[in-house]
PDB file of all heavy atoms in Angstrom:
ATOM      1  N   VAL E  81      -5.361  -3.027   2.947  1.00  0.00           N
ATOM      2  CA  VAL E  81      -6.771  -3.258   2.620  1.00  0.00           C
ATOM      3  C   VAL E  81      -7.280  -2.110   1.782  1.00  0.00           C
ATOM      4  O   VAL E  81      -7.230  -0.978   2.196  1.00  0.00           O
ATOM      5  CB  VAL E  81      -7.585  -3.434   3.956  1.00  0.00           C
ATOM      6  CG1 VAL E  81      -9.009  -3.705   3.595  1.00  0.00           C
ATOM      7  CG2 VAL E  81      -7.016  -4.521   4.806  1.00  0.00           C
ATOM      8  N   LEU E  82      -7.821  -2.472   0.624  1.00  0.00           N
ATOM      9  CA  LEU E  82      -8.388  -1.479  -0.337  1.00  0.00           C
ATOM     10  C   LEU E  82      -9.860  -1.785  -0.455  1.00  0.00           C
ATOM     11  O   LEU E  82     -10.294  -2.914  -0.639  1.00  0.00           O
ATOM     12  CB  LEU E  82      -7.735  -1.605  -1.679  1.00  0.00           C
ATOM     13  CG  LEU E  82      -6.246  -1.637  -1.797  1.00  0.00           C
ATOM     14  CD1 LEU E  82      -5.781  -1.910  -3.230  1.00  0.00           C
ATOM     15  CD2 LEU E  82      -5.687  -0.366  -1.244  1.00  0.00           C
ATOM     16  N   LYS E  83     -10.713  -0.722  -0.334  1.00  0.00           N
ATOM     17  CA  LYS E  83     -12.145  -0.848  -0.498  1.00  0.00           C
ATOM     18  C   LYS E  83     -12.657   0.097  -1.653  1.00  0.00           C
ATOM     19  O   LYS E  83     -12.205   1.180  -1.766  1.00  0.00           O
ATOM     20  CB  LYS E  83     -12.879  -0.477   0.787  1.00  0.00           C
ATOM     21  CG  LYS E  83     -12.614  -1.479   1.915  1.00  0.00           C
ATOM     22  CD  LYS E  83     -13.465  -1.123   3.146  1.00  0.00           C
ATOM     23  CE  LYS E  83     -13.154  -2.155   4.230  1.00  0.00           C
ATOM     24  NZ  LYS E  83     -14.000  -1.859   5.436  1.00  0.00           N
ATOM     25  N   ARG E  84     -13.621  -0.448  -2.416  1.00  0.00           N
ATOM     26  CA  ARG E  84     -14.154   0.325  -3.505  1.00  0.00           C
ATOM     27  C   ARG E  84     -15.475  -0.274  -3.903  1.00  0.00           C
ATOM     28  O   ARG E  84     -15.849  -1.407  -3.526  1.00  0.00           O
ATOM     29  CB  ARG E  84     -13.238   0.370  -4.688  1.00  0.00           C
ATOM     30  CG  ARG E  84     -13.097  -0.959  -5.415  1.00  0.00           C
ATOM     31  CD  ARG E  84     -12.228  -0.798  -6.581  1.00  0.00           C
ATOM     32  NE  ARG E  84     -12.163  -2.089  -7.340  1.00  0.00           N
ATOM     33  CZ  ARG E  84     -11.475  -2.139  -8.431  1.00  0.00           C
ATOM     34  NH1 ARG E  84     -10.836  -1.103  -9.003  1.00  0.00           N
ATOM     35  NH2 ARG E  84     -11.397  -3.322  -9.039  1.00  0.00           N
ATOM     36  N   GLY E  85     -16.237   0.428  -4.729  1.00  0.00           N
ATOM     37  CA  GLY E  85     -17.413  -0.161  -5.325  1.00  0.00           C
ATOM     38  C   GLY E  85     -17.072  -1.341  -6.205  1.00  0.00           C
ATOM     39  O   GLY E  85     -15.970  -1.362  -6.785  1.00  0.00           O
ATOM     40  N   VAL E  86     -17.949  -2.283  -6.287  1.00  0.00           N
ATOM     41  CA  VAL E  86     -17.660  -3.532  -7.046  1.00  0.00           C
ATOM     42  C   VAL E  86     -17.323  -3.107  -8.471  1.00  0.00           C
ATOM     43  O   VAL E  86     -18.122  -2.388  -9.118  1.00  0.00           O
ATOM     44  CB  VAL E  86     -18.834  -4.542  -7.011  1.00  0.00           C
ATOM     45  CG1 VAL E  86     -18.645  -5.694  -7.967  1.00  0.00           C
ATOM     46  CG2 VAL E  86     -19.054  -5.028  -5.575  1.00  0.00           C
ATOM     47  N   ALA E  87     -16.186  -3.533  -8.968  1.00  0.00           N
ATOM     48  CA  ALA E  87     -15.675  -3.207 -10.246  1.00  0.00           C
ATOM     49  C   ALA E  87     -16.346  -4.088 -11.365  1.00  0.00           C
ATOM     50  O   ALA E  87     -16.812  -5.151 -11.125  1.00  0.00           O
ATOM     51  CB  ALA E  87     -14.148  -3.401 -10.285  1.00  0.00           C
ATOM     52  N   PRO E  88     -16.311  -3.570 -12.571  1.00  0.00           N
ATOM     53  CA  PRO E  88     -16.815  -4.389 -13.694  1.00  0.00           C
ATOM     54  C   PRO E  88     -16.029  -5.707 -13.832  1.00  0.00           C
ATOM     55  O   PRO E  88     -14.834  -5.717 -13.449  1.00  0.00           O
ATOM     56  CB  PRO E  88     -16.568  -3.519 -14.904  1.00  0.00           C
ATOM     57  CG  PRO E  88     -16.317  -2.096 -14.460  1.00  0.00           C
ATOM     58  CD  PRO E  88     -15.797  -2.255 -13.021  1.00  0.00           C
ATOM     59  N   ALA E  89     -16.607  -6.663 -14.470  1.00  0.00           N
ATOM     60  CA  ALA E  89     -15.932  -7.994 -14.622  1.00  0.00           C
ATOM     61  C   ALA E  89     -14.647  -7.872 -15.417  1.00  0.00           C
ATOM     62  O   ALA E  89     -13.741  -8.658 -15.240  1.00  0.00           O
ATOM     63  CB  ALA E  89     -16.916  -8.954 -15.314  1.00  0.00           C
ATOM     64  N   GLY E  90     -14.548  -6.910 -16.335  1.00  0.00           N
ATOM     65  CA  GLY E  90     -13.394  -6.736 -17.156  1.00  0.00           C
ATOM     66  C   GLY E  90     -12.230  -5.976 -16.481  1.00  0.00           C
ATOM     67  O   GLY E  90     -11.209  -5.756 -17.082  1.00  0.00           O
ATOM     68  N   SER E  91     -12.446  -5.526 -15.234  1.00  0.00           N
ATOM     69  CA  SER E  91     -11.381  -4.852 -14.512  1.00  0.00           C
ATOM     70  C   SER E  91     -10.133  -5.649 -14.392  1.00  0.00           C
ATOM     71  O   SER E  91     -10.153  -6.800 -14.023  1.00  0.00           O
ATOM     72  CB  SER E  91     -11.929  -4.461 -13.093  1.00  0.00           C
ATOM     73  OG  SER E  91     -10.858  -4.238 -12.244  1.00  0.00           O
TER      74      SER E  91
END
Side-chain angles (χ1 to χ4, degrees):
V81 180
L82 310 175
K83 292 185 180 183
R84 68 177 183 177
V86 173
S91 158

